[in-house]
Amino acid sequence: MKKIFTLFLFASTSVASFGQRIWTENFNYAAGQLTDEAGGANVSSGAWLSVGGTLTDYAMAVDGSISYPNYFTNPGPESRKLKLEAVPAGQGRSIEDIFRDISPAIASSSNSTVYASFVIQFRSTANLNNSTSNVSGDYFMAFFPSGSTTDYRARVFVRQGVAANTVQFGIAATSVSGTVPIVWNAVDRDASVPHLVTYAYQFNPGANDDVAKLWIDKSYSATEPAPDASSVFASGTEPVNIGRVAIRQATVATPNADIDAITVATSYSDVALPLNLTSFTGSLLNKAAVLNWTSVNELNVNGFAVEKGLNGSGFTEIGFVNAKNTATNNYSFEDNNVKGATNYYRLKMLDKDGSFKYSAVVLINNNASLSSTVFPNPAVSSVNVNHEKANKGATISIVGLDGRMVKTLAVQAGATQTGLNVTELVKGNYLVIFENNGLKSVTKFAKQ
């Protein structure tokens, strides 16, 4: 095998499962006012509506987006975020509250749970109520029943933490009172980094027993984990449904923060968005580009469109691989039409409902000059790798065709042949990767 170059990219990307998800909001709009209040542009095309009132400032989509590790929605190239603002003390300004409908609304008779997740990034915490002097904090996110713009349910609160530049989150099922207090997750969280917040309203069949729940920075789980805080609807009239997501920015203690990547679902697994694509690799092998990827937790995935570009953009679909929709999946695709010095590949991952997102891009260099060979091939207990003269720091690795690293060892400087013990390998096909001075060669061999 000669003139072989490989670039491995392990992609933090997901194929999101949309089985019970109601909608996802990435603010893929033009920058500007989200609603048409006071003649605004309503860049959301009517998705977001105003609570109304006498207003001087409006809910705005602003440039930029927010990400959180292993939580993936579907932002577009011009994706934006929602800018939350506190009312400036003493200025008498009134800032717009907004909502977006959940359709169809989730009825109380369903005895189900409605979940919403979002990512929040604080711009400042100076205006927030302090956890030691003002335990109430203020709420900024909640649900509405259908038709309501005042009946906030599952209110998400925030306040300053005990330590400097930290925050704490809390939840209340409805209006805060002696019987329905704010229940805090009294953990100081770094306000300089984004946080993933999930809140829920659970309908229960009895009276005054619905529950609001809160999770902070929780990774994906197929089942609902124990909440970080929960609040029982202990008095008043429980809602007949949950029909809207509400965002409030009405006081001096509203967080000065940005919100992005909102999802609404009726299952925790769908709102938390699993990490599905765990690796995506590419190698040049016998003048063909070989792509391998691994995914987990597939649900309702249609398949993978393999796309190719010659300059990192302008991608064209060159093949399609059907999804297996099982717990752990390994896939491979071969492109026998490699042209030019550099080829770029990505995966367009499509769900059965038409939703999709892209993987990271794998780059394959067609002009590298590093070479290596492996013998015997097939091998039983050992192989020898003939390679170019090794410099200090050269390495040889064995990698499964699914991208899984099996072993790596240092190569002696000056060596042109290196022996490898492969006794412990299970039967199958593997890649031997020789890396020297920033270049890589890949040779395929079989273990018997």
Side-chain angles (χ1 to χ4, degrees), residues 220-235:
Y220 169 74
S221 173
T223 57
E224 180 187 301
D228 291 315
S230 61
S231 168
V232 178
F233 197 120
S235 65

Side-chain angles (χ1 to χ4, degrees), residues 232-366:
V232 178
F233 197 120
S235 65
T237 303
E238 294 175 336
V240 297
N241 64 39
I242 292 296
R244 293 172 169 176
V245 170
I247 299 176
R248 176 179 177 267
Q249 42 188 352
T251 75
V252 295
T254 295
N256 286 307
D258 299 319
I259 286 178
D260 204 356
I262 306 171
T263 61
V264 180
T266 54
S267 73
Y268 185 91
S269 61
D270 278 322
V271 80
L273 297 176
L275 171 66
N276 286 95
L277 191 66
T278 57
S279 71
F280 178 36
T281 68
S283 61
L284 192 66
L285 191 61
N286 290 334
K287 298 183 179 180
V290 179
L291 305 173
N292 295 284
W293 63 96
T294 300
S295 68
V296 296
N297 300 328
E298 286 183 8
L299 177 65
N300 294 327
V301 181
N302 185 32
F304 305 83
V306 181
E307 297 187 346
K308 177 181 178 180
L310 297 180
N311 56 4
S313 62
F315 286 87
T316 301
E317 182 175 333
I318 60 171
F320 190 86
V321 179
N322 292 322
K324 300 175 183 177
N325 284 301
T326 54
T328 301
N329 311 282
N330 298 315
Y331 299 96
S332 181
F333 181 86
E334 187 169 311
D335 175 21
N336 292 300
N337 188 28
V338 179
K339 297 179 179 179
T342 305
N343 293 259
Y344 300 82
Y345 297 89
R346 70 182 184 186
L347 301 175
K348 182 178 182 180
M349 301 168 287
L350 298 100
D351 274 24
K352 290 181 179 179
D353 69 351
S355 302
F356 66 89
K357 57 178 50 65
Y358 293 105
S359 72
V361 174
V362 164
L363 178 152
I364 295 180
N365 188 332
N366 196 27

Side-chain angles (χ1 to χ4, degrees), residues 108 145 148 151-153 173-175 179-180 201 203 206-210 233-242:
S108 60
S148 174
D151 198 6
Y152 290 91
R153 308 297 186 180
T174 183
S175 300
T179 53
V180 185
Y201 191 92
F203 290 109
N208 295 330
D209 61 353
D210 291 354
F233 197 120
S235 65
T237 303
E238 294 175 336
V240 297
N241 64 39
I242 292 296

Side-chain angles (χ1 to χ4, degrees), residues 37-38 50-56 58 94 96-97:
E37 185 74 14
S50 179
V51 168
T54 303
L55 303 169
T56 55
Y58 302 92
S94 182
E96 185 178 37
D97 299 336

